Coordinates of all heavy atoms in Angstrom, one line a residue:
L7 N -3.7 15.5 -0.5 CA -3.0 14.2 -0.2 C -2.6 13.5 -1.3 O -3.3 13.4 -2.4 CB -4.2 13.5 0.6 CG -4.9 13.9 1.6 CD1 -6.0 13.0 2.2 CD2 -4.2 14.6 2.8
V8 N -1.3 13.2 -1.2 CA -0.6 12.5 -2.5 C 0.0 11.2 -2.0 O 1.0 11.1 -1.2 CB 0.5 13.5 -3.0 CG1 1.1 12.9 -4.2 CG2 0.0 14.9 -3.3
D9 N -0.6 10.2 -2.5 CA -0.1 8.8 -2.1 C -0.8 7.8 -3.2 O -1.9 8.0 -3.6 CB -0.6 8.4 -0.8 CG 0.1 7.2 -0.2 OD1 0.0 6.0 -0.8 OD2 0.9 7.4 0.8
D10 N 0.1 6.9 -3.6 CA -0.4 5.9 -4.7 C -1.4 4.9 -4.2 O -2.0 4.1 -5.0 CB 0.7 5.3 -5.5 CG 1.7 4.5 -4.6 OD1 1.9 4.9 -3.5 OD2 2.0 3.3 -5.0
Q11 N -1.5 4.9 -2.9 CA -2.4 3.8 -2.2 C -3.7 4.5 -1.8 O -3.7 5.2 -0.8 CB -1.8 3.2 -1.1 CG -0.5 2.4 -1.5 CD 0.1 1.7 -0.3 OE1 -0.5 1.0 0.5 NE2 1.4 1.8 -0.1
P12 N -4.9 4.1 -2.4 CA -6.1 4.8 -2.1 C -6.5 4.5 -0.6 O -7.1 5.5 0.0 CB -7.1 4.0 -3.0 CG -6.3 3.5 -4.2 CD -5.0 3.2 -3.6
L13 N -6.2 3.5 0.0 CA -6.5 3.3 1.4 C -5.7 4.1 2.3 O -6.2 4.6 3.3 CB -6.3 1.8 1.9 CG -7.3 0.8 1.2 CD1 -6.8 -0.7 1.6 CD2 -8.7 1.0 1.6
I14 N -4.5 4.4 2.0 CA -3.8 5.4 2.8 C -4.4 6.8 2.6 O -4.5 7.5 3.5 CB -2.2 5.4 2.1 CG1 -1.5 4.1 2.5 CG2 -1.4 6.6 2.9 CD1 -1.3 3.9 3.9
R15 N -4.7 7.2 1.4 CA -5.3 8.5 1.3 C -6.8 8.6 2.1 O -7.0 9.6 2.6 CB -5.6 8.8 -0.2 CG -4.4 8.9 -1.0 CD -4.5 9.6 -2.4 NE -5.7 9.2 -3.0 CZ -5.6 8.0 -4.0 NH1 -4.3 7.6 -4.2 NH2 -6.6 7.7 -4.8
M16 N -7.5 7.5 2.1 CA -8.7 7.4 2.7 C -8.5 7.5 4.2 O -9.3 8.3 4.9 CB -9.5 6.1 2.4 CG -10.9 6.0 3.2 SD -11.5 4.4 2.9 CE -11.7 4.4 1.0
G17 N -7.5 6.8 4.7 CA -7.2 6.9 6.2 C -6.8 8.3 6.5 O -7.2 8.8 7.6
L18 N -5.9 8.8 5.8 CA -5.5 10.2 6.2 C -6.7 11.2 6.1 O -6.8 12.0 7.1 CB -4.5 10.7 5.1 CG -3.0 10.1 5.4 CD1 -2.2 10.5 4.2 CD2 -2.4 10.4 6.7
R19 N -7.5 11.1 5.1 CA -8.7 12.0 5.0 C -9.5 11.8 6.1 O -10.0 12.9 6.8 CB -9.5 11.7 3.7 CG -10.7 12.7 3.5 CD -11.5 12.1 2.3 NE -10.8 12.7 1.1 CZ -11.1 13.9 0.6 NH1 -12.0 14.6 1.3 NH2 -10.5 14.3 -0.5
M20 N -9.9 10.7 6.6 CA -10.8 10.5 7.9 C -10.1 11.1 9.0 O -10.8 11.7 9.9 CB -10.9 9.0 8.1 CG -11.7 8.3 6.9 SD -11.9 6.5 7.1 CE -12.7 6.5 8.7
V21 N -8.8 10.9 9.2 CA -8.1 11.3 10.5 C -8.2 12.8 10.4 O -8.5 13.5 11.5 CB -6.7 10.8 10.4 CG1 -5.9 11.6 11.5 CG2 -6.8 9.3 11.0
L22 N -7.8 13.4 9.4 CA -7.6 14.9 9.3 C -9.0 15.7 9.2 O -8.9 16.6 9.8 CB -6.7 15.2 8.0 CG -5.3 14.6 8.1 CD1 -4.5 14.7 6.8 CD2 -4.5 15.4 9.3
E23 N -9.8 15.2 8.4 CA -11.1 15.8 8.5 C -11.8 15.8 9.8 O -12.5 16.7 10.1 CB -12.0 15.3 7.4 CG -11.5 15.6 6.0 CD -12.6 15.1 4.9 OE1 -13.3 14.3 5.2 OE2 -12.5 15.8 3.8
A24 N -11.5 14.6 10.5 CA -12.1 14.6 11.9 C -11.5 15.6 12.8 O -12.1 16.0 14.0 CB -11.9 13.1 12.4
R25 N -10.4 16.2 12.5 CA -9.7 17.1 13.3 C -9.9 18.4 12.8 O -9.2 19.5 13.1 CB -8.2 16.9 13.5 CG -8.1 15.7 14.4 CD -6.7 14.9 14.4 NE -6.4 13.9 15.4 CZ -7.2 12.7 15.4 NH1 -7.9 12.5 14.5 NH2 -7.0 11.9 16.5
G26 N -10.7 18.6 11.8 CA -11.1 20.0 11.2 C -10.3 20.5 10.1 O -10.6 21.7 9.6
F27 N -9.5 19.7 9.5 CA -8.8 20.2 8.3 C -9.6 20.1 7.1 O -10.6 19.3 7.0 CB -7.6 19.4 8.0 CG -6.4 19.6 9.1 CD1 -6.2 18.8 10.1 CD2 -5.5 20.7 8.9 CE1 -5.2 18.9 11.0 CE2 -4.4 20.8 9.7 CZ -4.3 19.9 10.8
A28 N -9.3 20.9 6.1 CA -10.1 20.8 4.9 C -9.2 20.0 3.7 O -8.2 20.6 3.4 CB -10.4 22.2 4.4
V29 N -9.6 18.9 3.5 CA -8.9 18.1 2.3 C -9.5 18.6 1.0 O -10.6 18.3 0.7 CB -9.1 16.6 2.5 CG1 -8.4 15.8 1.4 CG2 -8.5 16.2 3.9
V30 N -8.7 19.4 0.4 CA -9.3 20.0 -1.0 C -8.9 19.1 -2.1 O -9.5 19.4 -3.1 CB -8.5 21.4 -1.2 CG1 -9.0 22.3 0.0 CG2 -7.1 21.2 -1.3
G31 N -8.1 18.2 -2.0 CA -7.8 17.3 -3.2 C -6.9 16.1 -2.8 O -6.3 15.9 -1.9
E32 N -6.8 15.2 -3.7 CA -6.1 14.0 -3.7 C -5.3 13.7 -5.0 O -5.8 14.2 -6.1 CB -6.9 12.7 -3.3 CG -7.4 12.8 -2.1 CD -8.4 11.5 -1.7 OE1 -8.1 10.4 -2.3 OE2 -9.2 11.5 -0.8
A33 N -4.2 13.1 -4.9 CA -3.3 12.7 -6.1 C -2.8 11.3 -5.8 O -2.4 11.0 -4.8 CB -2.4 13.7 -6.4
S34 N -2.5 10.6 -6.9 CA -2.0 9.3 -6.8 C -0.7 9.1 -7.3 O -0.1 8.1 -7.2 CB -2.9 8.2 -7.4 OG -3.1 8.6 -9.0
D35 N -0.1 10.2 -7.9 CA 1.3 10.1 -8.4 C 1.8 11.5 -8.5 O 1.1 12.5 -8.3 CB 1.5 9.5 -9.7 CG 0.6 10.1 -10.7 OD1 0.7 11.3 -11.0 OD2 -0.1 9.5 -11.4
G36 N 3.2 11.7 -8.6 CA 3.8 13.0 -8.6 C 3.3 14.0 -9.8 O 3.1 15.1 -9.5
G37 N 3.0 13.4 -10.9 CA 2.6 14.2 -12.0 C 1.1 14.9 -11.7 O 0.9 16.0 -11.9
E38 N 0.3 14.1 -11.1 CA -1.0 14.5 -10.7 C -0.9 15.5 -9.6 O -1.7 16.5 -9.5 CB -1.8 13.3 -10.3 CG -3.3 13.6 -10.1 CD -4.2 12.5 -9.8 OE1 -3.8 11.3 -9.9 OE2 -5.4 12.6 -9.3
A39 N 0.1 15.3 -8.7 CA 0.2 16.3 -7.6 C 0.6 17.6 -8.1 O 0.1 18.6 -7.5 CB 1.3 15.6 -6.6
I40 N 1.6 17.6 -9.0 CA 1.9 19.0 -9.6 C 0.8 19.8 -10.3 O 0.5 20.9 -9.9 CB 3.0 18.8 -10.7 CG1 4.2 18.2 -10.0 CG2 3.3 20.1 -11.3 CD1 5.3 17.7 -11.1
A41 N 0.0 19.0 -10.9 CA -1.3 19.6 -11.6 C -2.4 20.0 -10.5 O -2.9 21.2 -10.4 CB -2.0 18.6 -12.5
Q42 N -2.5 19.2 -9.5 CA -3.5 19.6 -8.5 C -3.0 20.7 -7.6 O -3.8 21.6 -7.2 CB -3.8 18.3 -7.5 CG -4.4 17.2 -8.2 CD -6.0 17.4 -8.1 OE1 -6.5 18.4 -8.5 NE2 -6.7 16.4 -7.5
A43 N -1.6 20.8 -7.4 CA -1.1 22.0 -6.6 C -1.4 23.2 -7.3 O -1.7 24.3 -6.6 CB 0.3 21.7 -6.3
A44 N -1.3 23.2 -8.6 CA -1.5 24.5 -9.3 C -2.9 24.9 -9.5 O -3.2 26.0 -9.3 CB -0.9 24.1 -10.9
A45 N -3.8 23.8 -9.5 CA -5.2 24.1 -9.7 C -5.8 24.5 -8.3 O -6.7 25.3 -8.3 CB -5.8 22.9 -10.3
L46 N -5.4 23.8 -7.3 CA -6.1 24.0 -6.0 C -5.4 25.0 -5.0 O -6.0 25.4 -4.0 CB -6.2 22.6 -5.4 CG -7.1 21.5 -6.2 CD1 -7.0 20.2 -5.5 CD2 -8.5 22.0 -6.4
A47 N -4.1 25.2 -5.2 CA -3.3 26.1 -4.2 C -3.5 25.7 -2.8 O -3.9 26.6 -1.9 CB -3.6 27.5 -4.5
P48 N -3.3 24.3 -2.6 CA -3.4 24.0 -1.1 C -2.4 24.6 -0.1 O -1.3 25.0 -0.7 CB -3.1 22.5 -1.1 CG -2.2 22.3 -2.3 CD -2.8 23.3 -3.3
D49 N -2.8 24.7 1.1 CA -1.6 25.3 2.0 C -0.6 24.3 2.4 O 0.7 24.7 2.3 CB -2.4 25.7 3.4 CG -3.5 26.7 3.2 OD1 -3.2 27.8 2.8 OD2 -4.7 26.3 3.5
V50 N -1.0 23.1 2.5 CA 0.0 22.0 2.8 C -0.2 20.9 1.9 O -1.5 20.5 1.8 CB 0.0 21.6 4.2 CG1 0.9 20.5 4.6 CG2 0.3 22.8 5.2
I51 N 0.8 20.2 1.5 CA 0.6 19.0 0.6 C 1.4 17.9 1.3 O 2.5 17.9 1.8 CB 1.4 19.1 -0.7 CG1 0.7 20.3 -1.5 CG2 1.3 17.9 -1.5 CD1 1.5 20.6 -2.9

C-alpha cells in the first residue's frame, strides 16, 4: 500500500485484510515504494 496519508493506508489495510488479502508492506512516498517493491516483491502495488 502506497499513500502519503496514514489513515488512507489504514482504511485500505482493514478493508483488504478483511477480504483475505495479505498486506505485506506500506510506503508513504514514491522513493519508499521503490525500495519496498524491491525488498518485498508484492504481487500488486
Side-chain angles (χ1 to χ4, degrees):
L7 310 180
V8 183
D9 196 294
D10 62 319
Q11 299 183 49
L13 287 178
I14 295 292
R15 297 199 307 273
M16 181 185 299
L18 285 171
R19 178 183 282 272
M20 291 174 63
V21 167
L22 295 170
E23 289 185 337
R25 284 160 176 76
F27 289 97
V29 177
V30 298
E32 297 183 14
S34 59
D35 58 49
E38 190 177 350
I40 295 170
Q42 290 276 57
L46 301 172
D49 298 303
V50 177
I51 301 171

